[in-house]
Amino acid sequence: QVQLVESGGGLVQAGGSLRLSCVASGSIFSINGMGWYRQAPGKQRELVALITIGGSTNYADSVKGRFTISRDNGKNTVYLQMNSLHPDDIAVYYCYARVRVMVLPTWSDYWGQGTQVTVSS
């Protein structure tokens, strides 16, 4: 019913920047929180950043001051601007959205398929 499609991952040198995008589509009535999580090899998935429909944000301590999350509610899209990247940021980045679909009065969590971010030292 709902699909999240990420783009923008890739390979970058340490100190460089990348911008991730995620578009939600399908039978969407409303989207509450949107955000990004990441999972490095051998580690658990962890929160990177979240943004509410009103624009309030929350960041992992490890990315504060380097990453910026934003969203376009009209386009059901969330972005993650990543600056000053370093090898510790290497991971698969997953888009997340809490969505209410058209036919159900409940909220559900949806995930994208993930996009790889690699940082060379």
Side-chain angles (χ1 to χ4, degrees):
Q1 291 177 312
V2 176
Q3 300 80 39
L4 301 182
V5 179
E6 302 111 332
S7 61
L11 172 65
V12 65
Q13 288 188 332
S17 299
L18 284 174
R19 189 189 193 212
L20 305 182
S21 300
C22 172
V23 180
S25 62
S27 301
I28 297 171
F29 178 80
S30 181
I31 302 177
N32 192 350
M34 300 187 80
W36 296 91
Y37 287 71
R38 67 185 181 186
Q39 187 167 18
K43 295 186 178 181
Q44 290 186 331
R45 189 175 298 189
E46 64 176 3
L47 169 70
V48 177
L50 288 173
I51 185 168
T52 68
I53 192 171
S56 297
T57 58
N58 183 35
Y59 294 93
D61 287 343
S62 60
V63 307
K64 284 180 180 177
R66 300 188 299 122
F67 292 8
T68 302
I69 190 170
S70 61
R71 65 190 282 178
D72 184 330
N73 292 328
K75 296 181 178 179
N76 290 338
T77 301
V78 64
Y79 306 96
L80 186 68
Q81 178 66 43
M82 304 185 294
N83 299 328
S84 301
L85 284 160
H86 53 67
D88 287 345
D89 296 314
I90 294 173
V92 177
Y93 284 70
Y94 295 92
C95 177
Y96 158 85
R98 188 156 182 85
V99 179
R100 180 180 169 182
V101 299
M102 291 290 188
V103 298
L104 294 174
T106 56
W107 297 86
S108 299
D109 296 332
Y110 291 87
W111 297 89
Q113 79 287 353
T115 184
Q116 177 70 47
V117 171
T118 303
V119 184
S120 63
S121 57

